[in-house]
Amino acid sequence: MSKSVNIDWNNLAFSYIKTEFRYVSRWKDGKWDDGSLIEDNKLSISEASTALHYGQQCFEGLKAYRTKEEKIQLFRPDQNAKRMNDSCKRVLMPEIPEEKFIDACIQVVKANEAYIPPHGTGATLYLRPFMIGVGDNLGVKPAPEFIFCVFCVPVGPYFKGGMTPVNFTIADYDRASPWGTGASKVGGNYAGSLLAHEEAVKKGFADCIYLDPATHTKIEEVGAANFFGITKNDKFITPKSPSILPSITKYSLMHIAKEYLEMEVEEIDVPVENLDEFKEAGACGTAAVITPIGGIDYKDNLHVFYSETEVGPVTKKLYNTLYGIQFGDVKAPEGWIVEVK
Ligand SMILES: *Cc1c(COP(=O)(O)O)cnc(C)c1O
């Protein structure tokens, strides 16, 4: 159990703070060791590690939430475990058993209990599981050894002072290739997106939206969040493509739209020329939950959805339901919540 901490819970950003404990497990000679919690936040690895040269690594992101009743809960960690293993398979890293992944997350949350923000602040404890290829290796091939680690950081709500829509621009670059690693949560996708993000911000946009890399005619996703739109007849639409990172938040919102809000839901092509079919749009992911999209700049035209300053009613309902489930105020579907005891 961690010591008490001195943190201003109401002014947390999404930035690194060293917490007390992290989980580390090593893979060698075909198997994972038992893993343990350590206090040191530095990893000592070979200069020839594949993670450093050939990008052999992947990561995950999920949160621990404190409920009104002071229970601590994780949101769908089994989905993060499954997705991490899909990423591992794609870049030839050993899979991590689902129970080991969830147990590591639980150990880290419990050990850093003092860092879990109070209920009502909107802040959460963000968990960052990741795996890297390590060991002495020079040629392009899978590493001889691997490290799986989970650390945690208390983070603030994405929206200080309420949800506000932001504007995006269409990227001049691709984040993924048609049959590349777009659907895997690997760092290389992000290295390639830094320049596109920086250029979007310089032009005054919050971030950029990527089009499909094969034809550049269909919306794929935002840099670190998936896209959804609400049609004029209240359908929830989200793009379908093999190069989109399958967002757990997105699939959760599809379920919420269908089962809680009785909306029709479709995962289909979203041509960038047809943006006026949507009366609302948003970006969704673990960090942001939902970012309402005010407008999208395409070919020097800003297409505005609901409003550049106000959040549309359907987006608001989706957000409140998801947020309520995550913080324990709305009944969750079977299996979505794992209590940390
Ligand atoms: C992690 C990530 C998302 C969001 O996924 P969630 O599971 O909802 O957090 C979306 N796009 C990319 C590229 C990502 O890496």
Side-chain angles (χ1 to χ4, degrees), residues 75 247-254 284-286 289-290 322 326:
F75 180 73
S247 156
I248 296 162
T249 314
K250 190 257 299 283
Y251 287 112
S252 304
L253 286 173
M254 287 171 76
C284 60
T286 297
V289 190
I290 292 177
L322 177 63
Q326 292 173 330

Side-chain angles (χ1 to χ4, degrees), residues 59-62 79-80 83 126 128 175 182 184-186 189-190 221-227 243-252 284-289:
F59 67 99
E60 275 301 323
L62 68 161
Q79 297 299 308
N80 293 93
R83 188 172 64 190
Y126 181 77
R128 170 54 62 85
R175 67 170 280 280
S184 309
K185 214 167 171 75
V186 296
N189 294 339
Y190 277 81
E221 66 169 307
V222 186
N226 276 185
F227 174 90
S243 46
I244 292 177
L245 191 288
S247 156
I248 296 162
T249 314
K250 190 257 299 283
Y251 287 112
S252 304
C284 60
T286 297
V289 190

Side-chain angles (χ1 to χ4, degrees), residues 165-169 204-207 292-297 302 304 307-308:
V166 297
N167 292 339
F168 292 116
T169 186
F205 297 98
D207 205 341
I293 302 177
I296 295 179
D297 166 72
L302 185 71
V304 176
S307 149
E308 278 186 83

Side-chain angles (χ1 to χ4, degrees), residues 8-27:
D8 180 1
W9 302 112
N10 292 307
N11 288 297
L12 280 170
F14 193 84
S15 50
Y16 184 76
I17 293 172
K18 182 184 180 244
T19 51
E20 219 175 328
F21 295 100
R22 64 229 77 255
Y23 173 94
V24 177
S25 179
R26 286 164 199 274
W27 186 94

Side-chain angles (χ1 to χ4, degrees), residues 75-148:
F75 180 73
R76 311 192 74 182
D78 59 318
Q79 297 299 308
N80 293 93
K82 287 192 176 79
R83 188 172 64 190
M84 182 155 207
N85 284 332
D86 289 341
S87 300
C88 288
K89 275 182 240 169
R90 182 65 180 79
V91 295
L92 289 185
M93 301 199 292
E95 291 180 43
I96 189 103
E98 189 174 311
E99 317 77 68
K100 187 178 176 77
F101 178 98
I102 296 174
D103 174 61
C105 292
I106 289 175
Q107 284 193 43
V108 169
V109 171
K110 273 182 161 167
N112 295 290
E113 216 267 311
Y115 292 91
I116 309 170
H119 184 83
T121 58
T124 54
L125 188 71
Y126 181 77
L127 302 178
R128 170 54 62 85
F130 66 97
M131 194 187 296
I132 54 176
V134 298
D136 299 336
N137 174 73
L138 197 56
V140 180
K141 59 176 181 292
E145 296 170 27
F146 295 87
I147 294 177
F148 170 68

